[in-house]
Amino acid sequence: NTGRAGKKALVLDCDTRGPSALESVQTSGKGKGDKPLVATTDQKGLSRDVLPGVDVMTMSNFRSPSDQMIAPEALRVVLSELSPHYDLIVLDTPPLLAFPDAAVLSHETDGIVLVVKWGVTTQENMKGAMRQLEAYDARTLGAVLTQVPAGSASGLSGAALQVYRHY
């Protein structure tokens, strides 16, 4: 939707342990029979037009020398350099309960949106994630529920949800 709206978005893959945002974005944009999406990647790891209006940058070269996590100072520099060129920047971090990256890096952002997988993420996991965010004084904006099976959402038929089958 970003490209169709004439906007520009950037996904920063901040998971230095297992970067996967580029692969996820490329896979989500393909339908049956579509050719693989090809993005050009520059020397900084920025892949342009992975989807219309969407660039992806892998941040694995920006991790702290003493840790696997990206140094907040390095993220601050990258964001200040790239922010003028994008309408929206999304940080993709490792799982919150496994690593503190999202909570620590949240202070460089406007806030956190939790991604919750249908049928996998438990209430206890959500409570634990919220406690961790509170401990770091992170601003939580909301949550997104992913991979909801067709017909599971009240009032929506499977046909209406097929538009979103790739999420």
Side-chain angles (χ1 to χ4, degrees):
N1 289 337
T2 303
R4 283 183 255 168
K7 304 282 184 181
K8 216 43 192 148
L10 173 66
V11 176
L12 287 178
D13 192 340
C14 296
D15 187 351
T16 59
R17 298 164 192 89
S20 62
L22 181 60
E23 179 183 323
S24 296
V25 171
Q26 286 179 322
T27 302
S28 74
K30 292 192 307 190
K32 289 183 182 175
D34 286 354
K35 295 178 186 172
L37 296 167
V38 179
T40 57
T41 304
D42 68 14
Q43 66 275 12
K44 290 185 178 180
L46 180 63
S47 300
R48 297 192 182 276
D49 293 318
V50 175
L51 291 174
V54 179
D55 297 345
V56 176
M57 183 172 176
T58 301
M59 299 285 295
S60 54
N61 294 335
F62 294 87
R63 67 176 151 217
S64 146
S66 62
D67 192 3
Q68 292 293 319
M69 188 176 87
I70 294 166
E73 305 79 34
L75 180 62
R76 191 175 310 122
V77 170
V78 169
L79 289 173
S80 67
E81 181 181 321
L82 296 175
S83 290
H85 306 287
Y86 293 95
D87 299 296
L88 173 69
I89 297 179
V90 175
L91 306 186
D92 180 28
T93 62
L96 180 60
L97 290 177
F99 304 100
D101 303 33
V104 172
L105 297 175
S106 71
H107 295 280
E108 307 305 322
T109 70
D110 294 331
I112 288 189
V113 175
L114 289 170
V115 178
V116 180
K117 189 173 181 180
W118 174 273
V120 174
T121 307
T122 65
Q123 273 189 338
E124 283 307 308
N125 289 146
M126 282 296 298
K127 288 177 185 176
M130 293 304 297
R131 279 193 294 274
Q132 186 170 348
L133 292 172
E134 286 174 18
Y136 281 88
D137 197 29
R139 181 172 179 232
T140 305
L141 302 175
V144 175
L145 185 58
T146 65
Q147 300 183 9
V148 177
S152 297
S154 174
L156 291 177
S157 70
L161 292 173
Q162 286 306 306
V163 173
Y164 303 103
R165 70 185 176 280
H166 57 273
Y167 290 105

